């Protein structure tokens, strides 16, 4: 099931609750004041639902969530949600997570973050320095500007700041989401997000 953070520790719901989300109301629901910062966002600033995702481009669970939930979420809720992407590269186990995140931020300079984000998770050319150039060309980016940005590691500090923020917040796994401050941990299915979003839209969550 999904995880709701309690007063002092992460409390994981029983897996059976994912099939019957109403049971999760028995858990304590706590909201966290998670900052959007200046990270890429998809959707209107005044959308009633803000989902902040901490993710890693080389994480297989993050890719599973992208493949199975991401597009359905956008199609179902449209302008009712704003999705914010924050970097949490697990560099000790995913050596391409940091370079991929930095490359995505370089793409963001040219207004192509979400296209590049999708390409990284689709990973048709894998994850590597050459792959990032391929994705940049496919996205129609100015290659000289993109290559210079990547080469000078212009967004190294930005990515590392996201990582430090996540760690200080207590996030220690990817993907982790906050729906209007309510945490969901892991690559949970669409129905879990749907349950929380629908309850939030109806004003039924504390």
């Amino acid at each position: 099931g999904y995880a709701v953070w309690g007063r002092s520790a992460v409390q994981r719901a029983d897996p059976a609750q994912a099939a019957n989300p109403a049971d999760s109301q028995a858990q304590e629901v706590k909201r966290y004041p998670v900052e959007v910062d200046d990270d890429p966002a998809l959707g209107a600033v005044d959308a009633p639902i803000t989902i902040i995702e901490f993710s890693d481009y080389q994480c297989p669970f993050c890719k599973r969530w992208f493949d199975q939930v991401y597009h359905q979420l956008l199609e179902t809720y449209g302008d009712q949600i704003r999705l914010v992407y924050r970097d949490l590269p697990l560099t000790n186990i995913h050596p391409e997570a940091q370079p991929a995140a930095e490359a995505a931020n370089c793409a963001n300079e040219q207004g192509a973050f979400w296209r590049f984000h999708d390409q990284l998770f689709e990973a048709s050319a894998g994850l590597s320095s050459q792959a990032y150039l391929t994705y940049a060309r496919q996205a129609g980016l100015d290659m000289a500007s993109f290559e210079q940005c990547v080469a000078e590691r212009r967004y190294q500090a930005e990515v590392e700041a996201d990582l430090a923020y996540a760690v200080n917040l207590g996030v220690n796994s990817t993907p982790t989401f906050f729906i209007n401050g309510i945490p969901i941990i892991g690559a949970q299915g669409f129905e879990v997000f749907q349950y929380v979003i629908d309850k939030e839209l109806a004003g039924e969550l504390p």
Side-chain angles (χ1 to χ4, degrees):
Y2 65 90
V4 177
W5 289 5
R7 286 181 290 273
S8 60
V10 176
Q11 301 174 356
R12 292 194 176 274
D14 187 293
Q17 291 174 346
N20 185 10
D23 292 343
S24 65
Q25 287 185 320
Q27 300 179 79
E28 177 185 8
V29 175
K30 184 173 180 179
R31 297 178 191 267
Y32 287 78
V34 185
E35 296 177 3
V36 170
D37 197 36
D38 58 352
D39 288 285
L42 185 62
V45 174
D46 60 353
I49 301 293
T50 295
I51 303 173
I52 300 176
E53 174 186 5
F54 288 90
S55 192
D56 172 321
Y57 291 109
Q58 202 174 1
C59 162
F61 300 103
C62 300
K63 175 171 173 52
R64 185 172 73 184
W65 186 84
F66 171 83
D67 290 340
Q68 298 179 0
V69 180
Y70 169 74
H71 296 289
Q72 188 176 2
L73 205 60
L74 296 178
E75 291 169 3
T76 301
Y77 291 100
D79 59 7
Q80 291 182 297
I81 64 174
R82 183 186 189 207
L83 180 62
V84 179
Y85 187 93
R86 300 202 64 173
D87 293 301
L88 180 51
L90 304 179
T91 54
N92 58 325
I93 55 175
H94 298 148
E96 283 298 325
Q98 175 92 15
E102 292 180 24
N105 277 277
C106 288
N108 189 45
E109 276 194 352
Q110 300 188 42
F113 175 82
W114 292 101
R115 169 75 186 274
F116 202 86
H117 160 279
D118 291 2
Q119 290 172 305
L120 289 173
F121 279 122
E122 290 163 1
S124 61
L127 296 177
S128 67
S129 58
Q130 288 303 310
Y132 309 143
L133 295 177
T134 297
Y135 301 146
R137 291 189 193 95
Q138 291 174 348
L141 301 187
D142 179 312
M143 292 304 296
S145 296
F146 177 80
E147 289 182 52
Q148 181 179 357
C149 178
V150 171
E152 69 185 36
R153 302 197 67 184
R154 191 175 299 165
Y155 290 96
Q156 178 182 2
E158 167 70 23
V159 173
E160 291 173 351
D162 267 9
L163 171 62
Y165 179 82
V167 170
N168 288 335
L169 190 62
V171 179
N172 57 18
S173 63
T174 55
T176 293
F177 306 86
F178 292 86
I179 300 178
N180 286 1
I182 299 172
I184 293 180
I185 299 174
Q188 305 299 334
F190 173 77
E191 69 282 355
V192 172
F193 286 83
Q194 183 179 40
Y195 172 76
V196 176
I197 292 171
D198 287 351
K199 289 290 185 181
E200 182 71 356
L201 288 172
E204 297 177 2
L205 294 177

